[in-house]
Amino acid sequence: MGTEIERKFLVEGSDWRQGKPVRLTQCYLNRDEHRTVRIRIAGEEAFLTVKSVTQGATRAEFEYPIPVADAEQMLKFSDGPLIEKDRHVVVLDGCRWEVDEFHGDNAGLIMAEIELTSEDQPFSRPPWLGREVTHDRRFYNSNLAAHPYKEWR
Amino acid sequence: MGTEIERKFLVEGSDWRQGKPVRLTQCYLNRDEHRTVRIRIAGEEAFLTVKSVTQGATRAEFEYPIPVADAEQMLKFSDGPLIEKDRHVVVLDGCRWEVDEFHGDNAGLIMAEIELTSEDQPFSRPPWLGREVTHDRRFYNSNLAAHPYKEWR
């Protein structure tokens, strides 16, 4: 088991763009607030990931590599729209940011995540960092699958 | 992906008992009728299993071995009672029966399953075989986790 502590922010402008992103396609096999089961295809790899209840910004996470062919089949089980996004990795002052640019029903949404070793770990804020949304459930990927960004407006 | 075709029956008497069973402890990470995500500890092994919609007696099934320590953690995520049962394997006339003797909140329930290669494959019926419950949702293990046998009476 890993423990995941991450903070999430909206993103402004486009100064974060660099390098080639990885396309992520994912769905959730459940809609339970207390635990999520995610199928993700990331380029040539695929993963099944279980995450437990969020407590603050901390989650228990179990991730297993699975065959891409299995993941493709399981994406069809999803009854919500798939989440499709390009993940850009931006390293800045020794911090690794993942900037997710959403497509499909979530187009227009760009979010940056930073993984921390403790919830109060300090980090430098890049100039393109917008409002923090770590605790805003609307921005959970599991929620975006059920209630995509295009429906918000 | 595997495809699973199985028929399930209640069991009468005790002439099916032979050998040493394997203790199975399992929970479900979701309660969705269209797909289930199961965590199972089977003796010294553990598995994460995704099954799709039932169509007749056929299901798509994806099973992955996982560390027992992970499974033990994930069993705690479950918000229903765990399913605990002893699985007895009985081979009869070339057919392999799995006879599950439930414990805990499902004590008193004993079910036999046979896996087939087609839905209409003939097989010999052992004398201890009772009523078929393949299509009775109450007997789905995922349902027994949410609505255990002891609540039925």
Side-chain angles (χ1 to χ4, degrees), chain B residues 104-125:
Chain B
D105 288 347
N106 288 296
L109 181 60
I110 306 176
M111 280 196 293
E113 285 184 8
I114 186 171
E115 194 156 340
L116 304 172
T117 51
S118 68
E119 292 197 24
D120 55 358
Q121 181 189 333
F123 56 88
S124 42
R125 299 176 67 98

Side-chain angles (χ1 to χ4, degrees), chain A residues 1 28-30 32 34-35 37 39 48 50-52 60 62 64-67 69-71 73-74 77-79, chain B residues 1 28-30 32 34-37 39 48 50-52 60 62 64-67 69-71 73-74 77-79:
Chain A
M1 180 184 75
Y28 290 84
L29 296 184
N30 66 350
D32 192 312
H34 301 290
R35 63 198 79 84
V37 182
I39 303 297
L48 191 162
V50 176
K51 298 187 188 190
S52 78
F62 303 84
Y64 308 103
I66 62 172
D70 285 12
Q73 286 292 322
M74 283 190 269
F77 294 178
S78 170
D79 54 4
Chain B
M1 182 183 74
Y28 290 84
L29 296 183
N30 66 349
D32 192 313
H34 301 290
R35 64 198 78 83
T36 59
V37 183
I39 304 297
L48 192 161
V50 176
K51 298 186 187 190
S52 77
F62 303 84
Y64 307 103
I66 62 172
D70 285 12
Q73 286 291 321
M74 282 189 268
F77 294 177
S78 169
D79 55 4

Side-chain angles (χ1 to χ4, degrees), chain B residues 85-128:
Chain B
K85 58 188 183 181
D86 283 323
R87 172 157 290 179
H88 304 253
V89 173
V90 183
V91 177
L92 203 83
D93 294 336
C95 291
R96 182 180 187 276
W97 292 90
E98 292 176 343
V99 180
D100 287 349
E101 183 179 18
F102 288 77
H103 300 293
D105 288 347
N106 288 296
L109 181 60
I110 306 176
M111 280 196 293
E113 285 184 8
I114 186 171
E115 194 156 340
L116 304 172
T117 51
S118 68
E119 292 197 24
D120 55 358
Q121 181 189 333
F123 56 88
S124 42
R125 299 176 67 98
W128 41 261

